[in-house]
């Protein structure tokens, strides 16, 4: 499985990369939404999963979600917002824009696994 | 903004710090409120909150403390972390603390990207302190602050 971690914090990318690698994902990284569009475009296959921060320079996470949803060839990509934005209106906006799930920082590893399991993205044996 | 808005307290700050440290900086050392509520610092990371609440969330600590944070987040020896990694780690800490505090503030509001400054004296003009605490982790102290730019809060402070 291929995943992409999109966050302007290198520290957060490292945490999420390690988490996905433990689940068996091959992991790509991007520091903002624009870079993520380029990384996904250049990938050998469409990632099954994108973990997306909201507040980023250049192109934020919500704009990235909207861009992905314009491209039918990327429809299979599961989009999960991983962000400190925790206002109800923001969560609704992200989900209405095409995100599948929403995780608020700080998250625990178990909490994140539970969210991904609901999306069918956790290999048998991990739970 | 409503006069009835309930703003975060020092206890809220300490609770959020406990959650953030437990999730991201779980290296076996617990974060606890410090007995000494004045702590030295030479680095300051902040996020601005803009909207129904206007203000700043600030984390201040020493370079050594921020090295420890970067060391845990990047899983590398303290002496090997770079200045960029220190800035990134401290900025993300302010970002996560700020996001969680924002959820307790009147909304809607947006939050800026984190800003990290090397300073021993940072001035936040036209603000009033809503709450603050100093927490200790790995024998290093971190000052956490929520400041408001709201004129009503300044008036209330002046009356008090």
């Amino acid at each position: 499985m291929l995943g992409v971690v999109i966050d302007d914090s290198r520290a957060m990318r490292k945490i999420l990369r390690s988490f996905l690698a433990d689940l068996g994902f091959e992991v790509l990284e991007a520091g903002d939404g624009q870079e993520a569009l380029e990384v996904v475009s250049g990938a050998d296959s469409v990632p099954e999963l994108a973990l997306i921060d909201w507040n980023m320079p250049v192109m934020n996470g919500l704009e990235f979600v909207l861009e992905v949803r314009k491209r039918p060839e990327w429809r299979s990509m599961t989009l999960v917002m991983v962000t400190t934005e925790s206002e109800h209106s923001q969560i609704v906006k992200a989900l209405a824009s095409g995100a599948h799930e929403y995780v608020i920082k700080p998250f625990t590893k178990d909490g994140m696994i539970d969210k991904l399991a609901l999306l069918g993205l956790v290999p048998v044996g991990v739970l | 903004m409503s006069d009835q808005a309930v703003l975060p307290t020092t206890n809220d700050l300490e609770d959020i710090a406990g959650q953030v440290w437990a999730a991201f900086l779980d290296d076996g050392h617990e974060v606890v409120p410090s007995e000494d509520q004045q702590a030295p610092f030479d680095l300051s990371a902040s996020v601005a909150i803009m909207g129904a609440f206007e203000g700043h969330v600030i984390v201040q600590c020493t370079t050594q403390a921020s090295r420890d944070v970067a060391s845990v987040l990047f899983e590398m020896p303290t002496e090997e972390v770079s200045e960029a990694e220190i800035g990134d780690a401290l900025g993300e800490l302010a970002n996560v603390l700020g996001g969680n505090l924002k959820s307790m503030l009147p909304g809607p509001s947006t939050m800026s990207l984190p800003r990290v400054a090397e300073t021993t004296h940072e001035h936040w003009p036209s603000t009033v302190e809503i709450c603050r605490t100093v927490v200790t982790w790995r024998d290093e102290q971190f000052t956490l602050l929520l400041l408001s730019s709201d004129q009503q809060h300044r008036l209330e402070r002046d009356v008090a």
Side-chain angles (χ1 to χ4, degrees):
Chain A
M1 288 193 291
L2 182 62
V4 57
V5 172
I6 310 164
D7 198 305
D8 57 326
S9 165
R10 283 186 53 221
M12 190 53 61
R13 291 205 303 273
K14 187 175 191 311
I15 290 169
L16 291 170
R17 166 186 276 277
S18 171
F19 169 76
L20 287 185
D22 287 347
L23 294 180
F25 279 83
E26 183 186 341
V27 186
L28 305 172
E29 290 185 24
D32 61 65
Q34 184 62 47
E35 186 184 355
L37 292 175
E38 293 161 13
V39 165
V40 173
S41 295
D44 293 336
S45 60
V46 177
E48 280 85 357
L49 171 66
L51 300 181
I52 311 157
D53 186 21
W54 188 307
N55 290 319
M56 295 182 287
V58 186
M59 177 187 283
N60 70 34
L62 186 66
E63 291 166 336
F64 173 78
V65 168
L66 291 167
E67 282 298 318
V68 168
R69 288 298 170 237
K70 288 178 188 169
R71 304 182 190 208
E73 68 273 23
W74 290 354
R75 193 175 295 148
S76 61
M77 189 164 29
T78 298
L79 306 178
V80 178
M81 301 296 292
V82 183
T83 174
T84 60
E85 287 290 350
S86 52
E87 284 179 20
H88 182 69
S89 60
Q90 302 283 68
I91 297 172
V92 170
K93 187 188 287 185
L95 296 175
S97 298
H100 294 88
E101 191 50 274
Y102 203 98
V103 176
I104 296 171
K105 298 175 185 173
F107 53 84
T108 62
K109 191 173 179 181
D110 287 346
M112 182 71 95
I113 287 175
D114 287 346
K115 294 270 188 181
L116 297 186
L118 289 172
L119 296 165
L121 289 165
V122 177
V124 174
V126 171
L127 290 175
Chain B
M1 188 171 60
S2 163
D3 290 344
Q4 302 304 313
V6 178
L7 296 172
T9 65
T10 295
N11 283 343
D12 294 322
L13 262 181
E14 290 169 356
D15 286 348
I16 289 171
Q19 292 164 23
V20 171
W21 257 265
F24 287 153
L25 295 163
D26 184 18
D27 69 336
H29 295 81
E30 203 174 349
V31 64
V32 294
S34 177
E35 289 180 11
D36 185 357
Q37 287 297 302
Q38 294 295 327
F41 67 94
D42 49 33
L43 285 176
S44 179
S46 63
V47 290
I49 297 172
M50 299 147 291
F53 178 90
E54 299 270 344
H56 306 270
V57 176
I58 303 160
V59 181
Q60 295 171 330
C61 63
T62 63
T63 301
Q64 183 55 49
S66 63
R67 277 189 176 280
D68 287 349
V69 171
S71 162
V72 172
L73 289 180
F74 285 100
E75 295 178 319
M76 59 198 299
T78 305
E79 62 275 14
E80 289 181 18
V81 297
S82 67
E83 283 189 21
E85 285 158 345
I86 288 172
D88 183 291
L90 198 59
E92 186 61 12
L93 187 58
N95 183 45
V96 177
L97 288 165
N100 281 265
L101 271 173
K102 185 166 91 71
S103 71
M104 304 178 76
L105 294 167
S109 60
T110 58
M111 201 169 74
S112 73
L113 294 172
R115 186 179 74 89
V116 180
E118 199 171 344
T119 177
T120 54
H121 181 78
E122 192 157 30
H123 185 53
W124 302 89
S126 304
T127 59
V128 61
E129 188 177 296
I130 300 298
C131 56
R132 72 179 279 141
T133 189
V134 178
V135 295
T136 300
W137 174 71
R138 283 183 161 195
D139 294 328
E140 298 285 350
Q141 291 174 306
F142 296 78
T143 303
L144 314 178
L145 288 160
L146 173 62
L147 305 182
S148 170
S149 308
D150 191 296
Q151 188 177 6
Q152 183 64 34
H153 293 143
R154 295 206 304 275
L155 289 171
E156 288 167 4
R157 177 198 57 185
D158 293 344
V159 167

